[in-house]
Amino acid sequence: MFQTVVNLKTYSESMGQNTVSLLRKLRNEKSSPSLKIAVPVTRVHLGKEFENLISQHVDSVSFGAHTGHILMEDLISFGIKGSLLNHSEKRIPKPIIKSTIAKAAELDFNLIICSKDLDETKEICQMGATVVAYEPPELIGGDISVAISKPHIIEQAVEICQSYGARLLVGAGIKTKKDVEISRELGASGILVSSGVVKAKDPFYALNSLMI
Ligand code: G3P
């Protein structure tokens, strides 16, 4: 199953009163189970109302004195069973990635761990990641997609992931069905997209046109 992950980031279109109305717009018959939506951490309580949400970040700590941290246990209590980690806009030190992967495995929690290049893809796979999302930082938020700009890197990243039994998602600049089809042809298992949906005039239409 080819996966579509929409990252709501913290755009004005997805914050405040807009979160729920955007999530309602993105709800459709194609939704489940290939669609996941990464909500801001202040909106994870919506996991009780919407089935397909993941968090944009999670920490590795458990219950205790950890001011400001986001617990997997707490996300799970809201029905959130997965999270992005190490996004280019929220980078995490490697030892923390490693301990978060170990904890996620114990709790059956699904991490999508972002990588910025091939070296990091390999490093993250070696830590035991099951899903890696390759996103070249310089293409994030732009109009030239990773699929058009870095096809050879995607192929190599797929190979690396496969050799560790992991799946590769690709993201950055994805705006068209063609971007998605190329990504799939190159061996990716899914896409990670944000502005192409969240900032589109019609997010429902934009999302549908990307789902294959
Ligand atoms: O997490 C998705 C992301 O960083 C890509 O953003 O706006 O280029 O689709 P965008």
Side-chain angles (χ1 to χ4, degrees):
M1 177 181 54
F2 194 82
Q3 191 163 33
T4 303
V5 182
V6 180
N7 181 0
L8 299 192
K9 300 204 174 180
T10 50
Y11 287 123
S12 58
E13 289 87 345
S14 57
M15 295 300 287
Q17 304 294 331
N18 294 334
T19 316
V20 168
S21 56
L22 181 57
L23 288 173
R24 287 193 179 130
K25 281 183 201 156
L26 297 181
R27 205 181 231 168
N28 63 63
E29 72 285 354
K30 280 189 185 173
S31 301
S32 189
S34 62
L35 174 66
K36 299 279 175 229
I37 299 180
V39 292
V41 291
T42 51
R43 297 295 184 278
V44 294
H45 58 283
L46 294 171
K48 290 202 183 281
E49 189 184 337
F50 296 88
E51 274 175 19
N52 54 352
L53 306 189
I54 62 171
S55 178
Q56 291 177 9
H57 174 70
V58 66
D59 290 300
S60 61
V61 296
S62 289
F63 299 108
H66 303 295
T67 305
H69 287 248
I70 298 140
L71 272 59
M72 260 175 229
E73 292 87 341
D74 204 38
L75 295 178
I76 291 168
S77 78
F78 286 118
I80 306 264
K81 299 187 184 103
S83 181
L84 301 179
L85 191 73
N86 196 42
H87 190 281
S88 278
E89 293 148 12
K90 181 80 177 162
R91 301 271 297 164
I92 305 296
K94 293 295 178 313
I96 304 284
I97 295 179
K98 199 172 175 184
S99 57
T100 310
I101 290 173
K103 182 170 176 190
E106 274 170 32
L107 296 185
D108 205 14
F109 189 85
N110 305 304
L111 293 176
I112 298 174
I113 307 178
C114 299
S115 71
K116 61 179 171 48
D117 55 29
L118 289 175
D119 287 344
E120 195 173 34
T121 300
K122 187 169 180 182
E123 217 178 331
I124 289 168
C125 283
Q126 285 169 336
M127 292 177 192
T130 52
V131 183
V132 179
Y134 163 60
E135 295 200 319
E138 71 280 10
L139 298 179
I140 291 177
D143 287 325
I144 299 171
S145 77
V146 59
I148 301 285
S149 178
K150 312 259 185 194
H152 302 305
I153 311 274
I154 293 178
E155 279 175 330
Q156 291 175 63
V158 166
E159 235 172 78
I160 292 170
C161 286
Q162 282 175 352
S163 70
Y164 288 93
R167 288 184 296 128
L168 182 82
L169 310 185
V170 292
I174 291 184
K175 299 274 188 304
T176 67
K177 194 177 206 97
K178 190 175 171 209
D179 294 327
V180 184
E181 282 168 353
I182 294 172
S183 304
R184 186 168 65 176
E185 278 159 24
L186 293 168
S189 299
I191 55 156
L192 181 51
V193 59
S194 182
S195 54
V197 172
V198 178
K199 296 183 82 65
K201 268 196 189 135
D202 182 342
F204 176 80
Y205 177 81
L207 174 61
N208 265 301
S209 64
L210 295 180
M211 291 188 73
I212 53 174

